[in-house]
Every structure is written in structure tokens, then in C-alpha cells.
Amino acid sequence: DGLPLELVASDPRLCLARAWLALDLGEPAAAERWANATTAADDGRPLLEGGATVASGVAMLRATLAYRAGDLGTAEELGAEAVELEDLPDSTWRAVALATLGSARHFRGAPSDRVIPVLEQAVGSAQAGANSMAVLRAQGALAAATFGAGDLDGARRWVAAADALRSEQSLD
């Protein structure tokens, strides 16, 4: 807020940061406006940390917006796009894309073999402290998906893992 609007609007990295902040503050319309500003300002410069590209960051943001709004079809589509764009295996953002994709697939009724591996990859690719909310979402969806597949012990393990993460990182 302390930066001149022209400076923020001319830098896709700052626009993307504003978009994620708006999302986290529960302002989806503002997040979408800043996502549009990010795309308009994208001049190909790399992100300093986080996602592989500005485009992957925008796809993840929009996938998350759609997921939170209950538009699971769009969340799945944009989540798949974000996973494709975010192809660096050590990216701190890849877990976010995978968690959104897997969760959207699960809640749209996809078979467990199209859901569980994606969500397990989200949990496995996360970096400690960097992707906690994505991991928590993936673990919750894994609990539901494994339960739906008839694996009660697996569901219990995922619930316990999610509860431990919630407790360790004060994600109440």
C-alpha cells in the first residue's frame, strides 16, 4: 500500500504479490483485478522466488480463486495448467498447483487413481513451512479420497498427518 500504484502496476511480480494478498484477505474481486494487472504487466522477467513464471503464478492464483468459489471445473482446468507451467520439481509453488488440481478432481468425483497420486505428489513436493496450507488441503482431500476408496486406515493416517501439521504450525 505504501508503494506508488504506477510502480506496482508496472511490475508483474508486485502485481502478483498484491493478487495473492487480496486472495488471502478474502477479497476475490480484488485478487482477480490484480491477476489481470499481472498478466498485462508480464514482460517476461523472472520471479525472484516462488513460481517458475508469472504465468504459472497467475494460473495457480486463478485456480485457487475458482476452487474457493466452488467452481471445481475451472479449478481443475487451471490447476492442470499451473502444474504444466510449474514444471520445476523443486519449486515451492508446485505443491499449491498439485493440491488444487487433486482436490478439485476429488470433489468432482474423479476416480481415486486420478486423485490420490496427484495429492500425494503435492504433499511430497512441499517444502517445510513454505506450502503448509496447500499441504493441509492436500492431506484433507487425501483423507476423503482414501476413505472413499475404502481405505479406512489410510484415511485415518491422513487425518492424523493433517492434524499434526495444523498443531505444529498453529494453523487453527
Side-chain angles (χ1 to χ4, degrees):
D1 286 340
L3 296 173
L5 182 59
E6 304 79 33
L7 174 68
V8 176
S10 68
D11 188 325
R13 300 165 301 181
L14 293 174
C15 290
L16 188 58
R18 289 299 302 252
W20 280 104
L21 286 170
L23 176 85
D24 290 343
L25 291 170
E27 301 171 358
E32 184 58 43
R33 282 194 308 277
W34 282 109
N36 290 337
T38 302
T39 300
D42 188 4
D43 55 8
R45 74 180 96 174
L47 297 171
L48 299 178
E49 70 174 57
T53 64
V54 170
S56 71
V58 170
M60 272 180 253
L61 175 84
R62 288 192 166 130
T64 304
L65 279 167
Y67 181 81
R68 288 186 180 182
D71 183 355
L72 298 177
T74 300
E76 182 178 357
E77 179 183 317
L78 291 172
E81 179 183 335
V83 168
E84 186 176 318
L85 290 170
E86 195 61 32
D87 59 355
L88 300 174
D90 60 343
S91 164
T92 58
W93 286 14
R94 187 165 174 79
V96 176
L98 290 163
T100 301
L101 173 60
S103 297
R105 280 183 180 170
H106 169 69
F107 292 113
R108 291 190 74 212
S112 61
D113 65 334
R114 291 198 62 233
V115 172
I116 292 173
V118 172
L119 293 170
E120 287 176 337
Q121 190 179 358
V123 172
S125 69
Q127 296 176 11
N131 311 94
S132 299
M133 294 305 293
V135 171
L136 197 59
R137 180 177 33 190
Q139 289 172 329
L142 274 163
T146 54
F147 179 81
D151 181 1
L152 288 165
D153 289 335
R156 284 186 190 101
R157 283 191 302 273
W158 286 117
V159 167
D163 190 49
L165 178 63
R166 177 207 52 82
S167 178
E168 289 166 9
Q169 297 197 10
S170 300
L171 297 174
D172 296 335

